[in-house]
Amino acid sequence: MADRTGTLGPGTFGPGTLGIVAGSGGLPRRLIENCRAAGRPVFVLALEGEADPAMLAEVPHAWCRIGAAATGIDLLHANGVGGLVLAGGVKRPSIASIRPDWRAAKFFARIGLRALGDDGLLSAVIKELEHEGFTVIDAGRLLDNGAVMPEGPLGTLGPDPVARADIEHGLRIARAIGALDIGQSVVVQQGMVLGVEAIEGTDALLRRCGALRREGPGGVLVKIEKPGQERRADRPVIGPQTVAVAAEAGLRGIAAEAGAVLVLDRDAVARAADAAAIFVVGVRAP
Amino acid sequence: MADRTGTLGPGTFGPGTLGIVAGSGGLPRRLIENCRAAGRPVFVLALEGEADPAMLAEVPHAWCRIGAAATGIDLLHANGVGGLVLAGGVKRPSIASIRPDWRAAKFFARIGLRALGDDGLLSAVIKELEHEGFTVIDAGRLLDNGAVMPEGPLGTLGPDPVARADIEHGLRIARAIGALDIGQSVVVQQGMVLGVEAIEGTDALLRRCGALRREGPGGVLVKIEKPGQERRADRPVIGPQTVAVAAEAGLRGIAAEAGAVLVLDRDAVARAADAAAIFVVGVRAP
């Protein structure tokens, strides 16, 4: 994939190496590939239980568990990281499983444990990393322009009036769900909310909605950015995998918020949509 | 179970037989048992694919599919039904699967198909049945006083401060979910929303949250009445089965809206809660 914006060259976000804190999903791999193609030196801090080991083969990297903040920060400094991007999903850990080291414990003591369930946690993490001297960057700025969902269909199909009504209803519901910091996605079929995403993730939501679907015109996945979302963490993403799972679940299409949702490999998404005969459309949230 | 309120005697809700339109779950069986114990004549219109055939063995009844409104109404009239109660769950059917007869088609033509996804549908159904001369009764009025969730714990256990915080958060979320006409239940653990109920039902929600649970103190099921809910249809219910499934899913307790959620067999629920060492508590929604 070409770097159409030229933002990936060395030095664009301060001197030194770009650090990638890598969670689950396809976004970290895409960032690594783009940086390497652009000749940008990169260091990956791979989160245990989240990051895909396969993408790390030829990249400077270290593994770190989520609670080991001191180790993680030391590793980033030791590898000359200046700009830092948080990419991919992280299952919010429980209080018991996080086993904070002294650095993480200090952090939690300051922000309070109650924040664990909130978007506020991510903002606090970012503030903390900036106090440590890192420049935390929105992953969207490290991808080419095509990585942000445009308005309109990606493949050849678009929504018919029934699907458009489902999208409209889904946007309203997703907006409310997002404002409550519950999740980013909903599935609507013929005006009925088949499922609402909480912490299970979009793929799990799609799979269970497959079993709940009604006869007649299939449902629509609506995925948006939470109102007030911290863009430098937890950006909503769709990719070819999302299209495949949605099609398997009997959905007729995917509506993603234009200008907000990231698309991993737009061409592959369009091809997957056409192959499965479903639509993938970028829509403006109301 | 004793009829402490004396509302079940013949003639209390107009002359004639009490009609029970029976969906899924334990509520229809409980109503049938109570009516028979009170000597009230009863006729059950059992909804295909929803009602449990086992409860119908010795009761005057007929089966009817949801789209066959004319047949259903004729059956109720032919069996001398005056008062009518809608009891138990009904999976909202799709437009394609409902196969409306002329009576149902006329109804849908009048209210518009868009209402299929809304609580408005239930209100419209009730209005229609009242135009037909039936007195539609809240199922809660046909159960004894103990069937409505009281404030405070039913068994010996109650929520500790962590659980109380989860209940508070759950009530806020459930209220919002209900206002959007999505569902009645949520599961919260340590401040995280593990799952939100849409059309899958409470048992399915609990089962999937079992797989999503975090280490440490378990979660809480919060079940409430939707704001503005039509009480004569789709009343939220918990029973011994809910307690068993919640315990299996690793939850620490259930909080149900006092004065709103119906409890099928309060004693059995208290015993099940104590046996599983979880709490079942009635709470006032904010």
Side-chain angles (χ1 to χ4, degrees):
Chain A
M1 188 185 275
D3 168 28
R4 298 183 213 156
T5 56
T7 52
L8 295 174
T12 309
F13 296 105
T17 299
L18 177 73
I20 300 176
V21 180
S24 61
L27 184 57
R29 173 194 291 273
R30 175 52 44 104
L31 288 173
I32 291 169
E33 287 168 0
N34 283 19
C35 287
R36 288 167 66 94
R40 163 127 205 182
V42 69
F43 172 76
V44 181
L45 192 67
L47 295 176
E48 286 177 14
E50 303 287 357
D52 175 11
M55 67 186 169
L56 302 171
E58 293 170 64
V59 191
H61 70 275
W63 287 90
C64 183
R65 62 179 186 82
I66 289 170
T71 313
I73 288 168
D74 288 349
L75 280 164
L76 293 171
H77 283 312
N79 283 277
V81 167
L84 187 61
V85 59
L86 310 179
V90 173
K91 290 185 287 291
R92 293 188 199 171
S94 72
I95 298 165
S97 67
I98 206 166
R99 291 184 292 128
D101 65 9
W102 69 269
R103 191 75 186 67
K106 219 174 106 183
F107 168 71
F108 284 123
R110 194 163 58 249
I111 68 162
L113 276 172
R114 297 186 62 112
L116 257 180
D118 295 320
D119 269 346
L121 173 65
L122 291 172
S123 302
V125 166
I126 287 171
K127 196 176 286 178
E128 200 73 7
L129 290 168
E130 297 202 311
H131 279 148
E132 281 290 337
F134 303 111
T135 307
V136 182
I137 305 156
D138 168 13
R141 293 182 61 200
L142 294 174
L143 298 169
D144 61 277
N145 283 334
V148 176
M149 190 72 195
E151 226 172 323
L154 287 191
T156 53
L157 293 176
D160 67 10
V162 172
R164 271 204 295 273
D166 282 348
I167 291 170
E168 229 171 90
H169 190 45
L171 283 172
R172 197 172 64 89
I173 302 287
R175 195 51 100 187
I177 296 299
L180 293 163
D181 196 15
I182 296 173
Q184 301 169 328
S185 305
V186 298
V187 175
V188 177
Q189 183 188 18
Q190 299 170 30
M192 290 177 294
V193 180
L194 291 194
V196 170
E197 181 188 20
I199 62 163
E200 73 272 35
T202 306
D203 286 2
L205 167 72
L206 289 171
R207 289 199 179 95
R208 88 184 137 85
C209 287
L212 296 167
R213 70 175 188 253
R214 304 308 196 224
E215 289 176 47
V220 175
L221 168 69
V222 177
K223 187 160 191 171
I224 66 159
E225 189 174 60
K226 293 181 195 171
Q229 179 154 354
E230 167 56 77
R231 282 212 164 169
R232 291 174 296 171
D234 202 22
R235 273 196 80 151
V237 177
I238 64 167
Q241 158 88 353
T242 319
V243 176
V245 179
E248 245 172 70
L251 264 59
R252 303 168 69 204
I254 297 173
E257 187 178 355
V261 172
L262 296 181
V263 187
L264 292 181
D265 202 335
R266 194 197 277 201
D267 294 342
V269 165
R271 279 195 306 273
D274 287 348
I278 73 173
F279 64 80
V280 176
V281 67
V283 293
R284 292 276 162 203
Chain B
M1 187 186 277
D3 169 26
R4 298 183 213 154
T5 56
T7 53
L8 296 175
T12 311
F13 295 105
T17 299
L18 178 74
I20 300 176
V21 179
S24 62
L27 184 57
R29 173 195 290 274
R30 175 52 44 106
L31 288 173
I32 291 168
E33 287 169 0
N34 283 19
C35 286
R36 288 167 66 94
R40 163 124 207 186
V42 70
F43 172 76
V44 181
L45 191 67
L47 296 177
E48 286 176 14
E50 302 288 357
D52 175 11
M55 68 186 167
L56 302 170
E58 294 171 63
V59 191
H61 70 275
W63 287 90
C64 183
R65 65 179 183 82
I66 289 170
T71 312
I73 288 167
D74 287 350
L75 280 163
L76 293 171
H77 283 311
N79 285 276
V81 166
L84 187 63
V85 58
L86 311 179
V90 173
K91 292 186 286 290
R92 294 189 197 169
S94 72
I95 298 165
S97 67
I98 206 166
R99 290 184 293 126
D101 66 9
W102 67 270
R103 191 73 187 69
K106 221 173 104 182
F107 168 71
F108 284 123
R110 196 162 56 248
I111 68 163
L113 277 172
R114 295 187 63 111
L116 259 181
D118 295 322
D119 270 345
L121 174 65
L122 292 171
S123 303
V125 165
I126 287 171
K127 197 177 283 178
E128 201 72 8
L129 290 168
E130 297 203 311
H131 279 149
E132 282 289 337
F134 304 112
T135 307
V136 182
I137 306 156
D138 168 13
R141 293 183 60 199
L142 295 173
L143 298 169
D144 61 277
N145 283 333
V148 176
M149 190 72 195
E151 226 171 322
L154 286 191
T156 52
L157 292 176
D160 66 10
V162 172
R164 271 204 295 274
D166 282 347
I167 291 171
E168 231 171 87
H169 189 46
L171 283 172
R172 196 172 66 88
I173 302 287
R175 195 51 100 188
I177 296 299
L180 293 163
D181 196 14
I182 297 173
Q184 302 170 327
S185 305
V186 297
V187 175
V188 177
Q189 182 188 17
Q190 300 170 30
M192 289 178 292
V193 180
L194 291 192
V196 170
E197 181 188 20
I199 62 162
E200 72 273 35
T202 306
D203 286 2
L205 167 72
L206 289 171
R207 289 200 179 94
R208 90 184 135 84
C209 286
L212 296 167
R213 71 177 188 251
R214 302 309 194 225
E215 288 177 49
V220 175
L221 168 70
V222 177
K223 187 160 190 171
I224 65 159
E225 189 174 63
K226 292 180 196 172
Q229 179 154 355
E230 166 56 77
R231 283 212 164 170
R232 291 174 296 171
D234 202 24
R235 274 195 79 151
V237 177
I238 64 165
Q241 159 88 353
T242 320
V243 176
V245 179
E248 246 171 71
L251 265 58
R252 303 169 70 204
I254 297 173
E257 187 178 354
V261 172
L262 296 180
V263 187
L264 292 181
D265 202 336
R266 194 197 278 201
D267 294 344
V269 165
R271 279 195 307 275
D274 288 348
I278 73 172
F279 65 80
V280 176
V281 67
V283 293
R284 293 277 161 202

